Amino acid sequence: MAPQLHHNPPFRAEHLGSLLRTDELLKTKLAFEQGQIPKADLTAVENKDIKEVAETQKRLGYAAISDGEYRRHMFWGSFFPGLHGFEEVKDIDVDVFRPYAPDVAAFLEAGHKPGESVICTGKIKHVGSTYVDEFKYLASVVPPEEVKNLKITLASPSWYHLRYKEGKAYPKDVYASDDEYFGDIAKVYQDELQILYDAGCRNVQFDDPNLAYFCSEKMLTGWKEDPLNVISADKTFEKYIKLYNDLLSKRPTDFHVGVHICRGNFVGSRHFSEGGYDRIATKLFKELNVDTFYLEYDTPRAGGFEPLRELPPHKYVVLGVVTSKFPHLEDKGEMKQRVYDAAKFIAEGNNISVEEALKQVGVSPQCGFASHREGNAIDRNGMIAKLKLVREIANDIWPGEP
């Protein structure tokens, strides 16, 4: 049987998971971290704010409601620290990092040392989900029939591999090769996905800036010049695709999986890399076994829509044409035209009409509004205006569809 296009989820209007925190939540988190209040006080504020932001999303017309990532400090959450075989290191030696990895390079160029990190110290095993309670609480604040639409965001499986120099991602006496290491990474994600599925989750989004880094000529040059590397950047990218496919190999057919690819989203609306999808498009779109690609497309740094010719007819793309980084509101007519322009390339690649191609398309902001809990250079009113604009674009192009 030919693969089928997954729909509802994803939806015509989407956002990428992270939403701006309230001042009360930020102050409460800081007070907890400084030992001034008990965890129960923090949880109470988190619960209140998650319930309110879920209601806000519903009121704005979004079906794939998230919890705003309100319990997290950074977008990837607590998955890796929660695994047996990984440890958080507060004062990590800067020499373990690839200095040309775009996020690491940005810190070093600004004169900052990358902060706490998580590093493999032993055999990796899943010892309990750090995501499932986030999902369960979110599920408790929506009607039962809407639980299947809720979206949980997950960490990139390669997050703590790419950023470290060759030979530094894991001890050689623990794993003899990347393939052994990736084998256990795949297994722990299989365990996590099964736990989430058993709890009622049917919609996840992997957040993976790493994949976009392979579009960066600056990173690729650094990779090529690094004498420690034993395989090319392209071969590493292929290994990451295989890692995804392995970890998704046991998922049920009614479990929607997407991957969000952007070029960084840090405090002050900073991005880390540039480069169009052209050089990775064929392998990314044709070989990565996910249902949906959530793609950054708000500025020229993401390149043109031409790579969408490679999108197969059974896969969906959510176009991030509205920026989440700054408050200036885009022109709705121009954004609609960009969606139609993108659909033309999908149509060309699959030899179908633009109308047929639009069945594979949705629209969203280009990234989250608060990948780091402090948030982007935009206030709450600006965020709401952006979310309204995305919903209006979707309403105009696909009337009556969620």
Side-chain angles (χ1 to χ4, degrees), residues 48-100:
K48 174 179 68 69
D49 280 8
I50 289 168
K51 186 173 187 295
E52 289 177 358
V53 84
E55 291 168 352
T56 298
Q57 291 168 74
K58 187 171 182 179
R59 186 170 65 252
L60 291 170
Y62 286 81
I65 290 170
S66 82
D67 66 358
E69 302 179 355
Y70 280 6
R71 301 191 198 276
R72 306 183 190 183
H73 175 72
M74 297 289 287
F75 67 88
W76 56 81
S78 53
F79 181 70
F80 280 94
L83 297 173
H84 180 273
F86 276 96
E87 291 183 11
E88 285 191 87
V89 180
K90 296 290 185 184
D91 188 27
I92 191 164
D93 182 357
V94 72
D95 193 50
V96 306
F97 295 103
R98 299 183 195 270
Y100 48 86

Side-chain angles (χ1 to χ4, degrees), residues 64 163 214 259 323:
R163 61 199 291 107
F214 290 89
V259 60
T323 192

Side-chain angles (χ1 to χ4, degrees), residues 12 83 96 99 138-139 184 219 236 239-240 242 284-285 305-306 311 320-321 324 337 349 351 365 367:
R12 299 303 184 191
L83 297 173
V96 306
L138 182 61
D184 278 354
M219 191 199 86
T236 302
K239 284 180 175 286
Y240 290 170
K242 182 180 185 299
L284 179 70
F285 297 142
F305 294 126
E306 290 84 355
L311 186 75
V321 295
S324 62
Q337 187 58 55
N351 195 26
C367 196

Side-chain angles (χ1 to χ4, degrees), residues 27-40:
K27 290 174 183 175
T28 305
K29 283 183 180 294
L30 186 60
F32 169 71
E33 290 166 359
Q34 293 176 345
Q36 298 171 1
I37 61 171
K39 180 68 181 293

